[in-house]
Amino acid sequence: SFIDDPYWTTIIDVGSHEHTALGARARDEGLSGVTHLYNAMEPLAGRAPGVIGQALAGLYAGIIADGIHVHQGNLALAARCLPDRLCLVTDAMLTLGTDIDAFEIDGRPMRREGGRLVGPDGQLAGAHLAMDEAVARMAGIAGARAALDMAAGNPARCIGLTDWAIREGAATPLVLLDATFRAQDVIAA
């Protein structure tokens, strides 16, 4: 199979998913992690761990830490269960950094209501979240070092960059944050 082909480095994540059987055999199927932990996934249950349970047991997991997609208590649970595998993602749409408050995705109208992006049915449709905001929220939950690892170190390890580090000559840009975790500048190689 493609997953077993030694020519390819394959990282497979499952996204929004409500299929309990897949969650129960996620690792056996070669899944590395989940995208948008908790979102549109069956709830964790005692006899049916599903995708969330598999993720919290040690898969990599991307999480939208905006306080809208995932409750603060579930952000804390994920941070405790996955200190080296939780990866902050923004799921940001084109509203971020602009005054745009309406747009379309595949002809479907989306709008910004406060900090939420929703479709015509009121269902969440992406996020209005910058990475520095996600880091600030997670720093308040898990501490500064953990939040910074979730933004940079954990995602690097997830894609196999084991030699990732901040050093002279590195190809990765360096984002300078102030004491409240607001981005101030970017230093590119």
Side-chain angles (χ1 to χ4, degrees):
S1 79
F2 178 74
I3 294 173
D4 297 326
D5 187 334
Y7 178 77
W8 298 96
T9 299
T10 307
I11 299 167
I12 299 177
D13 284 5
V14 65
S16 302
H17 205 283
E18 295 184 10
H19 193 279
T20 302
L22 175 63
R25 64 177 208 273
R27 289 180 196 190
D28 296 338
E29 294 295 323
L31 296 173
S32 304
V34 301
T35 303
H36 302 174
L37 181 61
Y38 298 115
N39 294 116
M41 296 179 181
E42 284 187 349
L44 178 65
R47 290 182 299 280
V51 174
I52 294 172
Q54 288 291 327
L56 294 176
L59 294 175
Y60 279 97
I63 198 163
I64 304 170
D66 62 357
I68 296 168
H69 283 77
V70 180
H71 185 276
Q72 190 100 342
N74 285 332
L75 290 172
L77 175 63
R80 282 193 304 274
C81 290
L82 302 169
D84 299 324
R85 292 179 169 267
L86 192 61
C87 304
L88 296 177
V89 295
T90 67
D91 201 25
M93 295 290 169
L94 60 98
T95 58
L96 189 63
T98 73
D99 54 2
I100 295 171
D101 59 6
F103 60 100
E104 290 186 1
I105 297 177
D106 293 329
R108 188 170 172 237
M110 306 295 167
R111 68 187 182 285
R112 180 172 57 182
E113 292 180 355
R116 301 170 60 96
L117 297 180
V118 296
D121 56 1
Q123 184 174 0
L124 288 175
H128 188 74
L129 175 71
M131 183 57 74
D132 59 347
E133 295 168 327
V135 169
R137 179 173 300 279
M138 289 307 292
I141 293 169
R145 176 60 191 218
L148 293 169
D149 279 344
M150 290 173 200
N154 293 354
R157 284 187 295 280
C158 177
I159 62 171
L161 297 177
T162 56
D163 188 33
W164 181 87
I166 297 171
R167 66 178 180 277
E168 186 176 344
T172 305
L174 184 64
V175 179
L176 303 179
L177 305 173
D178 66 15
T180 65
F181 301 100
R182 302 278 312 161
Q184 299 300 306
D185 202 355
V186 176
I187 300 172

